[in-house]
Amino acid sequence: GKSKADEAEKRGIDKGIEQNRQQNAQAVEQAERSAKAKEAAAEKKIREAESKLAEAGLDMITLEMDSAGAGMQLDLAAAAGMKVLAVLAPYTDRTLLEDVDFEKVDELVLRFKAHPALYGWHICDEPGIKRIPMLKAVKEHIEALDGAHPVYINLNPLGSINALGTDFYRDYIDTFVRECNFQLLSYDCYPTMQWGMVNWWYMCNEAVLEVTRRYAIPFWAFAATCWIDREGPLNMHEKPSLENVRLQINTNLAYGAQVMQYFTIRDFGGTSLAPFMNNSQWTEAYDVLKEANLEMKRREVVFAGCKVLATRFICQTPFGARPLLKGDLPAAISSVQSDRTALVSMLDNNGCEYVVVVSTSPSETTGVSVDFASGVDYIDRAGNTVSQSPGTKVFALDPGDMLVFRCL
């Protein structure tokens, strides 16, 4: 039989095993509590961020789908009434087709294509024309899996001419739209520099207007809302101010932009100023973004779904654009003149004609004289309508601002 010593040893072993089991169970329970606490904290942070974005009138975000919390973020976006442009670029933004991670692409597209928050799939940023065959193949592959959501590629501006692969900017964007059968045209240009305005921005927008008309697709524009203080060309950009953000938004609207994209909302590592910094602080750049974006939304009746009839310039005409002639204006307005260069856009929206005059300066006030041949409504920043009697009226156009007239 077993001795008392053996029994005591067994009891000791059993006790040790039970203690280890209890300790392991406690460790697992603690780890689960910690994970839940971290998830709850992350969810709270995302909810707070989405609430601030919604407060500023924003209704879509980009989300990298390599994030472990992508599913939760999509759920929270849906709950907040926001859409998500899902970024697949870590797996699709390649030089060669054989380098594309189609296995990961398939996994993500099939997993999230039915999610109510999904708007579309972002596969590449600023490609050159030589990558069209690869990107076309990736786009068609995704569309075969999900034909309900657009595939998005953001194109280069003219300033990246060495990366375009063509001699003319119009050829670059036209070739991409034609070959890839785009459902929208997006490109980025951040024109407000410390030394002045980028002089080829208007030429880019003229080319974009021509191509979007030709293929009957919407224009998605960008405005810079961050500042990067580091060596290199990017730190030559101006810090975001209400005036220069307004100028970017209003100019793009005058060229028919249907979606305004902002680069960027959050600090991405090298940013000195962004609306949201990684220390969880909302900055003065957020206040600028909010005011400028809400101003745009208050006048969306003018621009949402509009058709651009013509874009012209007064005082001086930038390279690649055309001067305003009397016959360009609708009958209700006989002339528009200014003491500084200004953009004049003629729009049609739901049978109403509009004339929009946009400042080209982020720092100087522009005097604008308008001759009204008949009754016209002026639509101010708040969306209020003010009737204008026939005759001449002089307006002080603030830096980056615009005048919006509806012809009766």
Side-chain angles (χ1 to χ4, degrees):
K2 293 183 179 179
S3 67
K4 291 183 178 180
D6 291 338
E7 291 176 354
E9 181 180 0
K10 184 179 184 304
R11 285 196 299 270
I13 292 172
D14 291 344
K15 183 178 180 180
I17 292 173
E18 177 60 21
Q19 287 176 340
N20 286 337
R21 187 194 66 77
Q22 291 178 1
Q23 288 172 354
N24 289 337
Q26 289 171 356
V28 170
E29 185 179 348
Q30 178 61 35
E32 289 176 348
R33 283 200 301 267
S34 178
K36 287 180 180 179
K38 288 181 180 179
E39 184 176 336
E43 182 175 332
K44 180 182 178 183
K45 190 174 181 179
I46 294 169
R47 287 186 186 277
E48 290 173 348
E50 289 178 345
S51 176
K52 290 288 284 188
L53 297 178
E55 184 182 322
L58 302 177
D59 52 18
M60 187 185 302
I61 58 174
T62 55
L63 175 64
E64 289 196 5
M65 301 309 288
D66 58 346
S67 168
M72 179 184 71
Q73 293 188 61
L74 278 162
D75 292 342
L76 293 175
M82 303 186 79
K83 290 292 186 180
V84 171
L85 185 60
V87 180
L88 297 176
Y91 315 107
T92 57
D93 196 349
R94 300 286 188 269
T95 302
L96 301 174
L97 185 61
E98 54 263 35
D99 293 332
V100 174
D101 189 345
F102 282 109
E103 183 178 347
K104 190 67 175 178
V105 169
D106 291 359
E107 173 196 332
L108 292 169
V109 172
L110 293 174
R111 179 182 171 192
F112 293 116
K113 69 177 185 177
H115 200 287
L118 181 67
Y119 179 85
W121 304 103
H122 183 322
I123 65 169
C124 190
D125 186 48
E126 299 183 340
I129 207 164
K130 292 180 181 179
R131 298 173 68 191
I132 283 180
M134 184 274 293
L135 291 170
K136 181 180 180 182
V138 173
K139 177 177 180 288
E140 291 175 349
H141 179 87
I142 293 172
E143 288 171 339
L145 299 173
D146 176 15
H149 299 98
V151 176
Y152 169 104
I153 300 173
N154 180 59
L155 299 181
N156 275 297
L158 179 62
S160 306
I161 190 66
N162 291 333
L164 301 186
T166 60
D167 292 331
F168 300 100
Y169 188 68
R170 184 176 285 101
D171 292 343
Y172 166 73
I173 57 175
D174 186 274
T175 303
F176 255 104
V177 172
R178 184 181 67 254
E179 295 294 326
C180 292
N181 191 26
F182 277 170
Q183 295 168 267
L184 58 92
L185 196 167
S186 173
Y187 95 102
D188 55 49
C189 180
Y190 310 114
T192 54
M193 310 293 283
Q194 293 179 19
W195 45 260
M197 291 288 295
V198 170
N199 60 8
W200 40 258
W201 180 39
Y202 296 105
M203 184 169 64
C204 284
N205 274 356
E206 292 286 335
V208 167
L209 176 59
E210 179 181 326
V211 172
T212 53
R213 278 172 169 169
R214 180 178 301 137
Y215 296 99
I217 57 174
F219 167 31
W220 286 33
F222 269 90
T225 53
C226 71
W227 180 58
I228 304 168
D229 184 15
R230 67 184 184 205
E231 292 297 323
L234 287 177
N235 86 333
M236 297 170 66
H237 289 278
E238 283 278 16
K239 291 182 180 180
S241 67
L242 184 57
E243 291 77 14
N244 65 43
V245 174
R246 264 183 187 155
L247 189 152
Q248 295 171 78
I249 292 173
N250 294 338
T251 300
N252 287 324
L253 290 174
Y255 277 97
Q258 294 300 295
V259 173
M260 201 64 59
Q261 305 166 86
Y262 298 107
F263 179 79
T264 177
I265 300 298
R266 63 176 178 84
D267 172 25
F268 56 84
T271 315
S272 301
L273 179 64
F276 182 75
M277 298 299 287
N278 280 346
N279 60 4
S280 300
Q281 294 297 315
W282 294 92
T283 71
E284 64 269 26
Y286 169 80
D287 299 327
V288 167
L289 167 64
K290 177 180 176 180
E291 184 168 350
N293 192 64
L294 290 177
E295 281 180 8
M296 175 183 70
K297 293 184 77 68
R298 292 185 193 110
R299 290 191 279 202
E300 65 183 359
V301 67
V302 177
F303 299 102
C306 73
K307 177 183 178 182
V308 180
L309 303 175
T311 51
R312 301 289 188 265
F313 284 82
I314 48 179
C315 191
Q316 293 183 341
T317 303
F319 181 74
R322 285 175 282 185
L324 179 71
L325 303 176
K326 186 174 181 180
D328 296 325
L329 293 165
I333 297 178
S334 54
S335 76
V336 180
Q337 301 178 62
S338 63
D339 58 11
R340 297 182 61 85
T341 299
L343 165 64
V344 182
S345 177
M346 279 62 69
L347 310 173
D348 178 272
N349 198 335
N350 201 28
C352 291
E353 285 188 285
Y354 296 88
V355 174
V356 179
V357 184
V358 185
S359 163
T360 62
S361 172
S363 58
E364 302 291 336
T365 299
T366 302
V368 179
S369 175
V370 184
D371 291 338
F372 300 111
S374 58
V376 169
D377 284 341
Y378 167 61
I379 304 174
D380 66 17
R381 289 181 200 149
N384 299 318
T385 299
V386 182
S387 296
Q388 306 294 307
S389 301
T392 301
K393 187 169 182 178
V394 177
F395 297 84
L397 180 58
D398 290 338
D401 207 355
M402 65 178 168
L403 304 171
V404 179
F405 302 105
R406 180 172 60 209
C407 302
L408 304 177

